[in-house]
Amino acid sequence: MALFEWTDQYSVNVRQLDEQHLRLVDMINDLYDAIKREEDQTALRETLKKLLDYTAYHFVREEKLLQQYGYPQLEKHKEEHSILSWRVLDLRSRYESGEGVQASEVLDFLTGWLKNHIMNSDKKYATFLNSKGVQ
Ligand SMILES: [Fe+2]
Ligand SMILES: [Fe+2]
């Protein structure tokens, strides 16, 4: 079973952002599978790096779109993204330096955070963007 099952409840009703979220979910599940298969550290590190790079890319795209349409809660939203980015960077560097942090811990943290963020924060811009004709 996948770690993160995508269902319509996660949709923010904006196609390009749903596609990016779905890609993140796929990458999360790929990393989960790689961990279960007990792939070697180099492969895991590379898969984790791709996931984190794509997360950063998604945040930039999402923030740009919200800025373009003048989303009133943009600053708060950006702050949430930067707190996550900071925490993940910290976990990742502790994982890479072998300080006892496992790839699965970084994965669990990111998965929990993303589910929560999509449901509680990203969902809030859905109506706003739709009202501006963005779908
Ligand atoms: Fe977001
Ligand atoms: Fe998002």
Side-chain angles (χ1 to χ4, degrees):
M1 209 182 104
L3 179 65
F4 192 155
E5 294 278 358
W6 175 272
T7 61
D8 278 349
Q9 63 168 338
Y10 291 106
S11 173
V12 293
N13 229 13
V14 175
R15 200 170 45 137
Q16 58 169 304
L17 297 176
D18 277 344
E19 282 170 3
Q20 290 168 24
H21 288 152
L22 193 52
R23 172 120 190 247
L24 278 172
V25 168
D26 282 343
M27 294 175 92
I28 279 174
N29 290 325
D30 286 348
L31 178 58
Y32 179 62
D33 288 340
I35 291 170
K36 274 199 308 193
R37 283 196 308 270
E38 298 185 342
E39 278 187 9
D40 65 72
Q41 287 302 311
T42 315
L44 283 185
R45 216 171 273 182
E46 195 48 42
T47 310
L48 179 62
K49 182 181 184 304
K50 280 190 191 141
L51 168 59
L52 299 183
D53 286 349
Y54 193 76
T55 304
Y57 166 81
H58 165 62
F59 285 172
V60 170
R61 293 281 306 270
E62 194 176 84
E63 288 169 10
K64 277 211 170 119
L65 192 68
L66 293 174
Q67 185 165 29
Q68 191 183 335
Y69 290 93
Y71 183 52
Q73 313 292 325
L74 178 63
E75 284 315 309
K76 188 174 176 286
H77 204 97
K78 279 168 103 169
E79 199 179 306
E80 283 188 29
H81 287 172
S82 67
I83 290 170
L84 179 271
S85 305
W86 190 86
R87 290 186 69 183
V88 165
L89 268 179
D90 176 57
L91 271 178
R92 181 183 170 188
S93 67
R94 287 198 281 139
Y95 161 65
E96 292 196 341
S97 66
E99 281 181 49
V101 172
Q102 303 295 312
S104 59
E105 286 178 54
V106 187
L107 180 67
D108 283 348
F109 174 73
L110 189 63
T111 306
W113 189 90
L114 262 175
K115 282 183 179 173
N116 187 51
H117 181 75
I118 292 173
M119 292 307 282
N120 297 308
S121 298
D122 285 353
K123 282 271 190 184
K124 284 187 186 154
Y125 62 57
T127 318
F128 173 81
L129 285 178
N130 290 164
S131 78
K132 302 282 179 186
V134 189
Q135 281 182 334

